[in-house]
Amino acid sequence: MKVLYLAPNPADLPQFNPSRFSALPPCPDLTETGIKKAFRAGPYDVVHFVGHAQSRGANYATLAVLSADGRARWVTSGAVAAITELAGAKLWVLQACDEASSSFDPIAQAIAARGIAVLSAPASCGPSLATALQSATDLSTVAQTLSSTDPRISLFGTLPEQVPDQVIIPPPVPAAVPQPTRPAWQDQIAAKRQTGAFDVFLCHHTADKPAVRQIGQRLMEQGILPWLDEWELQPGQPWQRLLEYQINGIRTAAVFVGAGGLGPWQLQEIDAFLRAFVKRNCPVIPVLLGDAPARPALPVFLEAMTWVDFRTGIPDPWARLVWGITGKRPFN
């Protein structure tokens, strides 16, 4: 079982001993960027986070990672939830490093909303929890047992049931193996691409490409065709001319803002889309990614647009993004 152990110990917060909670060495780079890099090196079966949390009401909570100078950088529950899928883990364990830390329950709820099981635990059950995780082979049983026998541990979400190896009976091999069914959305996207009927232009900084690529894939799975440069620019063709053609014909633009802000070419694309907005009533949607700063620097003319915020799960940023692109409100 592959476990990623995260134990950020910011210099400006009460210190703790990471070895008290796990025999594994913590991830060496515990900045937000370093944690994302570790996630991409996975996948992991379990992510075990030990550290500090703050909670200001049911809908706002943060946990502490390290900034570049070793001090605390507080990350919102929405931002944490937005990057959990990078790790690929079926189970997250969020554990306070001391009794003074706030509960991780609000953050656990945000992660569980994405279909990932989470155990939220106080510092006092540290050694027993570490022993159970390190000896586990069946995550579902361990999660259910810990949460039901130790009232200090809360389980959010559920893990799929795992069947013991000895009772698995392989089915007989059929004479002819049926071909897998092609998902309906692939045919829908192929038909749109063939006619050039793109639904949304994904305007982004190069540094945010991985996050925007994931969003583009999820949009296609919902039947929405995005225009992303690395997918649509044909090699050997002048990309400026192809890009200008799309800007003049596409119906909607999503302008993504991450930790690096807006790039110089991105600003030119924004200017072009705003001109298209005036001429064709084309929606321009600012989209704040999970790692966007607390107060993102947006051009004055872009600030006037209603944005979508992936730093928080309330209201659902995916529902709002689809609404902005399609014009169809997907929730009550």
Side-chain angles (χ1 to χ4, degrees), residues 103-251:
S103 170
F104 278 98
D105 287 5
I107 299 174
Q109 291 172 344
I111 297 175
R114 292 178 174 262
I116 300 171
V118 188
L119 289 176
S120 177
S124 55
C125 60
S128 60
L129 180 55
T131 300
L133 288 175
Q134 288 158 17
S135 61
T137 57
D138 184 337
L139 292 180
S140 179
T141 300
V142 169
Q144 296 288 352
T145 301
L146 284 172
S147 60
S148 61
T149 59
D150 192 331
R152 300 169 299 175
I153 300 176
S154 300
L155 173 63
F156 296 84
T158 56
L159 279 161
E161 292 294 331
Q162 297 179 345
V163 181
D165 293 341
Q166 59 268 27
V167 300
I168 296 178
I169 302 174
V173 179
V177 178
Q179 294 299 315
T181 303
R182 178 182 173 93
W185 66 264
Q186 291 188 5
D187 293 331
Q188 186 178 359
I189 291 299
K192 284 187 175 184
R193 182 174 277 119
Q194 188 173 7
T195 59
F198 291 93
D199 294 298
V200 59
F201 182 91
L202 306 185
C203 176
H204 63 286
H205 194 294
T206 303
D208 299 321
K209 180 81 72 179
V212 174
R213 187 186 297 122
Q214 289 185 359
I215 290 174
Q217 179 62 39
R218 185 165 174 180
L219 288 173
M220 287 194 293
E221 292 171 3
Q222 298 185 37
I224 298 171
L225 178 59
W227 196 97
L228 183 64
D229 51 3
E230 68 176 21
W231 292 344
E232 307 302 336
L233 289 178
Q234 179 182 349
Q237 297 294 321
W239 63 269
Q240 293 94 338
R241 188 180 306 162
L242 293 173
L243 185 60
E244 180 181 359
Y245 173 79
Q246 292 300 333
I247 287 177
N248 289 332
I250 205 162
R251 297 191 297 270

